[in-house]
Amino acid sequence: MNATSPPPSDRHARLFPFRASPREASRIGSILRKETVGGALLVGAVVVALIWANSPWAAGYEALRDIELGFAPWHLRLSLEAWAADGLLAVFFFLVGLELKREFVAGDLRRFGTAIIPIAAAAGGVAVPALIYTAIAAHDPALRGGWAIPTATDIAFAVAVLALIGSRLPSSLRIFLLTLAVVDDLIAVAIIAIFYTDSIHPVPLLAAVITIVGYGALAQLGRRFFAARPAAAWLILLPIGAVAWAFMHASGIHATIAGVLLGFTVPVLHRRRDRDRDGEDGPGLAERFEHRFRPLSAGIAVPLFAFFSAGVAIGGAKGFAAALGSPLTLGVMAALVIGKPVGIVVTTWLLTRLERVRLDPALRWVDIVGVGLLGGIGFTVALLVDDLSFASGSPENAHAKVAIFAASILSAILASIVLGSRNRRYRRAEDHEDGDAARGGSE
């Protein structure tokens, strides 16, 4: 029995993380490459915003951020900061809806056995940070609303870090990170919809639902038409989606929820009669839309949102020290740096025991710890929830942003240390196997 063989009692246990088919692995690899570029742009936008907001020209940044555009009678006279948070992020959440639907219809999450662990791990990675934040900061009533800030993972930033330090890590680990982040986004959407809606206006909400249903009906009936003609989606579906977004914005529910619901309506699979008649077995409409719109999300929408949201005036060394001394900052940082990995790893370990699932022999539990540390990188959705929790320009809003930045950097460093050492180990193992194969061939 070799070192990686399972004990006799575990021979028939299922493996975790679950290995995807070659086609699914190729699709996920393409997503990760795009998110890596998006992560680099995201970090660049944050750095520019922070430098500008803390420079002698900070007034120019604030003036740019506060420029208002739009049609006031339709309640769409918004600042550029609000357009970025409510409008551009709807593109990001549309991609979230597409990916979620695809995972639940045709991906690993369609089967209970493969879905239960990443779903539970994501839930643990949300619950434990919320509890840690509450224990540290919730004694102050003014800070209780920030409990959801440290619950979200920024997939673009996390994947960018993984790409830089994890070139030799097993693909199953990358797939686990992406699946975990997809479910994490679903939970974040639910939190925003449930806990950050003050009042609901039924007429605009009904209009939004009707428009979304119409969008979905067109996408379902014209799936071949929209798949074959990329411009048609921009000329027909995009205006309908914009109308649905405007109604959702007027309803009182955060407008980004419209993006998720629109993504849910896009068909994933081909119709049976189309497959039977044409032998069509290529990417469905949801996958095609994902391929077309992901560069828009990763390259424009998310970096612009980060640019307008991340520009907080720290106030020099004294201001930074004051922020670090705040219970809010300590709560967010502890929740992200400690709570995220603890919630993800402990929940995963418990589920593998309860579900009789065995860790993939190619991996070690320290690899899962590294993924848990990457989960502590919270940027996009964390910044959005911060802006929903605390008034823009308030000390609480600024302190939360400082905490998000500091915790994300610290989590990235810790993950790089853990996964970097593992990456070197995997590289040595591959080089050793390649050397053995070359010697065997020469003989």
Side-chain angles (χ1 to χ4, degrees), residues 152-382:
T153 297
D154 191 294
I155 182 60
F157 194 175
V159 166
V161 173
L162 186 63
L164 289 174
I165 51 91
S167 59
R168 299 296 182 91
L169 294 174
S171 60
S172 59
L173 197 67
R174 300 166 183 266
I175 293 171
F176 175 56
L177 173 62
L178 184 62
T179 306
L180 185 72
V182 166
V183 180
D184 187 285
D185 286 337
L186 175 62
I187 298 174
V189 168
I191 289 174
I192 292 171
I194 296 171
F195 295 101
Y196 292 94
T197 299
D198 295 327
S199 61
I200 296 178
H201 305 289
V203 174
L205 179 60
L206 178 61
V209 171
I210 292 173
T211 308
I212 291 170
V213 170
Y215 177 99
L218 273 178
Q220 294 285 342
L221 294 174
R223 63 182 75 186
R224 295 186 70 195
F225 174 78
F226 291 116
R229 297 168 178 81
W234 295 94
L235 297 175
I236 299 174
L237 292 181
L238 180 60
I240 298 174
V243 171
W245 174 89
F247 280 131
M248 187 68 73
H249 183 273
S251 74
I253 297 176
H254 199 269
T256 53
I257 303 302
V260 180
L261 297 178
L262 289 168
F264 280 159
T265 68
V266 178
V268 171
L269 304 175
H270 297 285
R271 282 184 293 233
R272 180 173 299 177
R273 66 173 180 268
D274 293 335
R275 293 198 301 268
D276 294 342
R277 181 180 60 197
D278 303 328
E280 180 71 71
D281 194 31
L285 188 59
E287 189 172 340
R288 290 178 186 272
F289 277 11
E290 188 179 330
H291 177 74
R292 294 173 191 170
F293 300 137
R294 190 170 293 279
L296 176 63
S297 171
I300 298 177
V302 173
L304 279 178
F305 162 75
F307 172 77
F308 285 113
S309 180
V312 54
I314 297 174
K318 287 186 177 180
F320 186 70
L324 289 182
S326 166
L328 188 156
T329 307
L330 296 175
V332 171
M333 290 186 64
L336 283 171
V337 178
I338 301 172
K340 269 289 184 180
V342 168
I344 290 170
V345 175
V346 171
T347 305
T348 302
W349 185 85
L350 289 174
L351 260 292
T352 57
R353 296 297 181 269
L354 294 174
E355 292 291 315
R356 197 169 176 265
V357 176
R358 184 169 55 87
L359 185 68
D360 188 329
L363 299 174
R364 296 293 182 268
W365 276 103
V366 67
D367 298 321
I368 306 300
V369 172
V371 170
L373 289 168
L374 284 175
I377 299 175
F379 254 77
T380 307
V381 180

Side-chain angles (χ1 to χ4, degrees), residues 72-98:
W74 292 355
H75 305 287
L76 292 177
R77 182 77 176 178
L78 307 175
S79 67
L80 290 182
E81 181 183 16
W83 274 114
D86 292 356
L88 288 178
L89 272 196
V91 180
F92 167 79
F93 279 104
F94 177 72
L95 269 294
V96 170
L98 290 176

